[in-house]
Amino acid sequence: MATNRTFTMIKPDAVANGHTGAILDDIIKGGFKIVALKYTSLSDAKAGEFYAVHAERPFYKDLVSFMSSGPIVAAILEKENAIEDFRTLIGATDPAKADVGTIRNKYAKSIDANAVHGSDSDENAQIEGNFFFSAFERF
Ligand code: ATP
Ligand code: MG
């Protein structure tokens, strides 16, 4: 069942480079409503759990150490067709291939430090939102 919700993280590179406010502004101007928001960080173990689906990929270890390298911002976003529209707003995984004007085009430097995460399905959006937020922290 479509939930009209997606989950995002502003990754450690974008937070460290001071892009948090600009990215949240792009998200809001893109028509998304923030229904949960948290400034936090992932331990190595928690990052490994979050990206467990990529455990067999060659970049997994680097991805996990990068995602636990500094603070992140986690959020649940609401919009009609949220999953697909958010992935359009952020652009391709590799910022060099991301359309001009997308968040990754504007704020990401490389495929591993690519500024933001966006859920790839309704099911994963639910799982990922539950990973970070209790029922009392979402609206
Ligand atoms: P995310 O899940 O973070 O939104 P995505 O869905 O666009 O990104 P995935 O295929 O799910 O891409 O990969 C998860 C993350 O792993 C990517 O965001 C990227 O940081 C990293 N990654 C993916 N492919 C590569 C690669 N070939 N080399 C290095 N890092 C990669
Ligand atoms: Mg993904």
Side-chain angles (χ1 to χ4, degrees), residues 54 87 117-118 120:
H54 295 308
R87 291 189 67 97
H117 164 82
D120 59 14

Side-chain angles (χ1 to χ4, degrees), residues 11 50-51 53-54 87 93 104 117-120 124 128:
K11 296 187 179 183
F50 186 87
Y51 279 112
V53 44
H54 295 308
R87 291 189 67 97
T93 307
R104 282 170 169 162
H117 164 82
S119 302
D120 59 14
N124 284 336
E128 292 167 2

